[in-house]
Amino acid sequence: LQMLRLHLPDPPADSEEEEEEEGAAAGSSRSSIPMDPEHVELVKRTMAGVKLPSLGIPAWASEISEDQWKDVVQRTLQARQS
């Protein structure tokens, strides 16, 4: 993380409680959203058309590969879990 000059904020202290509450709410709302194959395909086509403005991409993002970024995320998650 230091070599990329990234600072990832610590998760909120009460994040575990919120996740449980959100998980329960998400479980009940998931059942009310129709996700048949046609709906899934519609969401995929819609999201494929979404383009982020290039000004919103930080300089470091163009300097590392996708695999490097995945490694940083994985190591950060493992460090937070231990």
Side-chain angles (χ1 to χ4, degrees):
L1 289 175
Q2 291 294 358
M3 69 177 195
L4 299 175
R5 293 187 215 109
L6 296 179
H7 171 71
L8 299 176
D10 293 329
D14 61 348
S15 64
E16 289 180 15
E17 291 176 14
E18 289 178 12
E19 285 176 15
E20 290 174 11
E21 292 171 13
E22 289 172 6
S28 63
S29 65
R30 274 190 203 130
S31 61
S32 66
I33 299 174
M35 289 304 288
D36 56 55
E38 290 178 19
H39 194 130
V40 170
E41 193 56 38
L42 173 63
V43 171
K44 286 181 180 180
R45 283 195 316 267
T46 302
M47 293 306 295
V50 173
K51 301 290 182 221
L52 297 176
S54 60
L55 295 177
I57 300 172
W60 60 262
S62 61
E63 297 172 3
I64 64 170
S65 70
E66 185 74 15
D67 288 336
Q68 288 173 310
W69 177 240
K70 286 179 184 178
D71 185 52
V72 168
V73 172
Q74 191 68 280
R75 282 185 287 147
T76 302
L77 290 174
Q78 287 172 352
R80 287 184 177 178
Q81 289 174 354
S82 56

